[in-house]
Amino acid sequence: MKKLINNPSDVVNEQLLGLAAAHPELHLSLAPRYVCRKDIPQGKVAVVSGGGSGHDPLHCGYVGFGMLDGACPGEIFTSPTPDQMYECAKHVDRGAGVLFIVKNYTGDVLNFETSAELCKMDGIQVQCILIDDDVAVKGGGHTSGRRGVGLTVLAEKIVGAAAQAGYSLGACADLCRRINQNGRSMGVALSSCIIPEAGETTFLLDNDEIELGIGIHGEQGVERRCMASVDILVELMVEHIFSDPEYVRVAREMNSASGEWEDVQLVSTPFSRGESFIVLVNGMGGTPPGELYGVYRKFAELCDEKGVSIKRNLVGTYISSLEMQGCSITMLRADDEMVRLWDARAVTPGLCFPSCDDVTSCGTSNAD
Amino acid sequence: MLTKKNVLIWFEKSADAMAEHKQELHLLDAAIGDGDHGINMNRGFGKLALELPVMGAMTLQEIFKHAGMVLLSTVGGASGPLYGTLFLKGAATVGTSEALDASAVLTFFDAGVEGLVARGRTEENDKTMYDVWAPVLREYELCLEAEMEFVEILAACVCAAEVGMKATIPMLARKGRASYLGERSIGHQDPGATSSYYLINALYESIRE
């Protein structure tokens, strides 16, 4: 293992200290561990997410104007604990409540729900909305359901913009739930990642093998097969997304009136001709930007053939899996409101919108 | 009776057991989960053991609450909130008592396990720690009705826990990361059920002495 690290058990804290040093506009707490904005306006809904570390820039890299107000990083690939989200929520709440965006992993869900109960006891309004977009997980009813992957990036951008624009907690939650029900993702791995504390690859792939449907922690996908050209791999991923049938599952949300948990049925209907999308072609950490554009070329061509329209796109490494080689494709069936919020200004270490030619947001001199 | 002193010994013995069986729990979890259960339980109960001197000065209810918060904030993964909830919900039944009789201990665990089930949305035969707790609570109730001594009740519960733990081997996992393995989860003992067995065994040992 060759990594730019010191002691493997210090990796997360040391990297966060670096993030905070590079971005003095962020506040870092190490005990309990969270990153948050320093300049959250009064009366704004706070948007908070979190999860295991190792997926940079997700989530800490998306803390800033127009996206997240706080992020709670766990150890590498391990859920954060409830005290982190609880303290972070207390720190970022400006009286309008806190929305937790939670990727669907058992540990994340249980820890966020526990912290939501702690917040409620303190009189902080709080809601948990699940992201579960990975179509590689089949037979959702008999498992813990689909994993939360690339759609999380789009949700954090769009819901963050909504909160910045003054949406209420209920409206932010409704929007986030709608995003989740309209998003699907599929990934592929060409090589495994290495967790620093483990020191060796999480899974083994032969030189000519790939894992189709890989999870962001190296979880098994739908098929291990031989390596193929980018065109063939993109066709396979896109086929999984478009052939995905209606997906029905039950999520647990907090009833805003009673403060009790209640089961909410979520339905994702299949994608079809004529619909409009915001898409993400995402690198897993070890794939160069050029290859991602190679993926995008074929992906855009296939979308054209299928008669769907790409309204907005994002190509780059936005939710990674340490140094894993590979990519994922995320499609969000987007309405006008989502597209409008997508275009809204955001200034975070990991993502700047609408572009980096605004002097006040990104410090370049192109100010005409 | 379960006294404050017993509870502190229970936690100490639990920490010893989690340290001793760290590798076993790791391997069980690596087979069907993500392999961090041994590390997480050892970290959490190790932290709990460090807190024992502080806890000596607390009331019984505060001890259980504090244990719940320590586990919640140090174990991580899915087990942290589950074990944390068990102690926090159990603590709520203790009130001002400074010691629990056999019947009050059942009330404690009934509430704690109810919280665990609500948090984990689990049923029996899902291949989780509840497959240990459910038969243990049934056994406890039967023994209590038969007016057995507290230590005998706990001895019977350890046997029930062991049977429950081993019964997870042929089960198909329906919860947690193991659920994604489908049929391939069959034939492996559940790591959460195993750590629950060690916790119950440590309770028995703390009373037996």
Side-chain angles (χ1 to χ4, degrees):
Chain A
M1 171 177 75
K2 278 194 280 186
K3 283 179 188 277
L4 296 173
I5 60 171
N6 297 311
N7 188 337
S9 59
D10 299 332
V11 164
V12 175
N13 278 359
E14 288 182 356
Q15 294 181 355
L16 286 170
L17 286 164
L19 177 77
H23 294 277
E25 70 277 16
L26 300 180
H27 167 76
L28 168 66
S29 160
L30 285 180
R33 193 152 64 195
Y34 62 87
V35 172
C36 64
R37 275 177 72 181
K38 284 179 180 169
D39 58 343
I40 308 165
Q42 272 306 319
K44 184 185 104 64
V45 169
V47 183
V48 170
S49 191
S53 294
H55 305 301
D56 300 291
L58 192 87
H59 297 272
C60 293
Y62 298 142
V63 176
F65 181 94
M67 279 188 83
L68 297 180
D69 297 284
C72 305
E75 287 301 316
I76 304 247
F77 294 179
T78 296
S79 321
T81 53
D83 52 319
Q84 294 175 254
M85 282 76 88
Y86 171 58
E87 291 298 331
C88 180
K90 280 202 291 190
H91 200 90
V92 299
D93 179 38
R94 292 293 182 274
V98 181
L99 179 72
F100 288 149
I101 299 179
V102 187
K103 303 197 297 305
N104 189 34
Y105 298 93
T106 304
D108 285 1
V109 171
L110 300 191
N111 282 289
F112 269 96
E113 284 180 359
T114 307
S115 61
E117 288 172 12
L118 296 173
C119 290
K120 191 186 79 175
M121 285 193 274
D122 269 13
I124 298 173
Q125 269 188 287
V126 61
Q127 182 58 281
C128 284
I129 299 291
L130 207 63
I131 303 292
D132 61 344
D133 55 317
D134 190 350
V135 301
V137 177
K138 310 290 180 191
H142 301 293
T143 68
S144 289
R146 291 183 172 176
R147 305 173 290 231
V149 287
L151 185 64
T152 316
V153 178
L154 309 189
E156 290 179 3
K157 169 67 187 79
I158 295 169
V159 178
Q164 192 69 52
Y167 280 43
S168 68
L169 179 60
C172 286
D174 289 345
L175 174 66
C176 195
R177 192 185 309 106
R178 208 165 86 230
I179 290 169
N180 189 41
Q181 292 183 100
N182 283 287
R184 285 182 165 84
S185 296
M186 181 76 184
V188 64
L190 314 185
S191 72
S192 173
C193 52
I194 300 172
I195 299 172
E197 287 224 58
E200 49 194 54
T201 52
T202 303
F203 57 97
L204 284 173
L205 282 175
D206 282 341
N207 273 339
D208 57 349
E209 265 184 339
I210 59 145
E211 178 89 24
L212 189 66
I214 193 77
I216 55 171
H217 310 91
E219 303 98 316
Q220 267 177 344
V222 289
E223 183 193 2
R224 185 165 288 196
R225 51 157 293 151
C226 58
M227 183 59 196
S229 66
V230 63
D231 283 4
I232 290 173
L233 293 181
V234 172
E235 270 175 25
L236 285 169
M237 289 159 74
V238 167
E239 217 34 61
H240 271 280
I241 291 175
F242 276 93
S243 66
D244 188 49
E246 182 173 270
Y247 179 52
V248 182
R249 69 285 197 194
V250 170
R252 189 178 287 184
E253 294 181 11
M254 204 175 257
N255 182 297
S256 55
S258 67
E260 298 297 321
W261 293 111
E262 61 181 9
D263 286 342
V264 178
Q265 192 182 65
L266 303 177
V267 181
S268 295
T269 56
F271 295 157
S272 49
R273 272 192 108 73
E275 293 174 336
S276 299
F277 292 86
I278 297 173
V279 302
L280 164 66
V281 168
N282 171 63
M284 293 293 202
T287 291
E291 289 184 29
L292 298 178
Y293 281 110
V295 169
Y296 188 76
R297 178 195 64 84
K298 182 63 186 177
F299 172 54
E301 188 185 304
L302 290 170
C303 284
D304 207 36
E305 278 173 24
K306 289 186 179 291
V308 302
S309 153
I310 297 178
K311 290 288 180 198
R312 299 289 185 273
N313 72 78
L314 192 61
V315 180
T317 298
Y318 292 100
I319 169 171
S320 62
S321 186
L322 296 170
E323 70 274 71
M324 186 191 286
Q325 274 182 292
C327 73
S328 61
I329 291 175
T330 296
M331 297 183 72
L332 166 62
R333 179 167 44 208
D335 51 38
D336 291 344
E337 183 186 20
M338 292 180 200
V339 173
R340 186 166 44 76
L341 292 165
W342 178 258
D343 290 337
R345 182 165 171 259
V347 187
T348 75
L351 199 53
C352 278
F353 264 76
S355 64
C356 282
D357 58 5
D358 175 351
V359 202
T360 54
S361 66
C362 290
T364 66
S365 57
N366 184 7
D368 58 346
Chain B
M1 291 290 268
L2 185 67
T3 63
K4 266 171 60 173
K5 193 176 158 219
N6 296 136
V7 171
L8 298 180
I9 297 171
W10 175 25
F11 291 161
E12 193 179 355
K13 287 189 178 294
S14 299
D16 291 346
M18 298 310 164
E20 189 186 335
H21 298 284
K22 179 181 161 190
Q23 187 64 9
E24 180 199 352
L25 294 173
H26 166 75
L27 291 175
L28 288 173
D29 196 31
I32 55 169
D34 53 3
D36 59 2
H37 193 58
I39 300 164
N40 290 349
M41 291 301 285
N42 184 46
R43 181 177 54 236
F45 279 85
K47 173 72 177 160
L48 190 59
L50 291 178
E51 296 286 305
L52 292 178
V54 189
M55 291 160 82
M58 295 179 179
T59 67
L60 190 59
Q61 184 172 46
E62 285 167 351
I63 289 174
F64 282 128
K65 251 191 198 167
H66 190 69
M69 287 309 292
V70 168
L71 296 176
L72 214 56
S73 56
T74 55
V75 174
S79 313
L82 292 172
Y83 282 119
T85 298
L86 189 147
F87 282 102
L88 288 175
K89 296 284 182 190
T93 69
V94 171
T96 54
S97 309
E98 282 303 282
L100 303 180
D101 63 15
S103 159
V105 170
L106 180 62
T107 307
F108 175 92
F109 280 116
D110 271 338
V113 172
E114 193 186 312
L116 184 153
V117 167
R119 169 76 53 246
R121 277 158 270 197
T122 185
E123 292 170 19
E124 271 192 271
N125 299 316
D126 278 352
K127 200 182 182 96
T128 71
M129 58 176 75
Y130 185 51
D131 290 310
V132 163
W133 289 103
V136 162
L137 289 182
R138 280 196 295 268
E139 181 70 17
Y140 196 114
E141 207 169 341
L142 286 176
C143 295
L144 196 65
E145 280 167 16
E147 298 183 346
M148 283 162 64
E149 289 290 320
F150 185 42
V151 66
E152 289 169 10
I153 296 177
L154 292 179
C157 285
V158 171
C159 294
E162 190 177 353
V163 172
M165 170 179 83
K166 289 187 174 153
T168 62
I169 296 174
M171 287 178 191
L172 177 84
R174 296 192 190 280
K175 284 285 178 298
R177 240 168 239 192
S179 66
Y180 298 120
L181 295 177
E183 302 277 329
R184 280 173 293 163
S185 65
I186 292 172
H188 299 276
Q189 184 171 305
D190 182 65
T194 310
S195 57
S196 288
Y197 164 78
Y198 288 128
L199 195 61
I200 292 161
N201 189 54
L203 174 61
Y204 165 63
E205 286 182 354
S206 74
I207 296 297
R208 191 184 54 182
E209 283 183 3

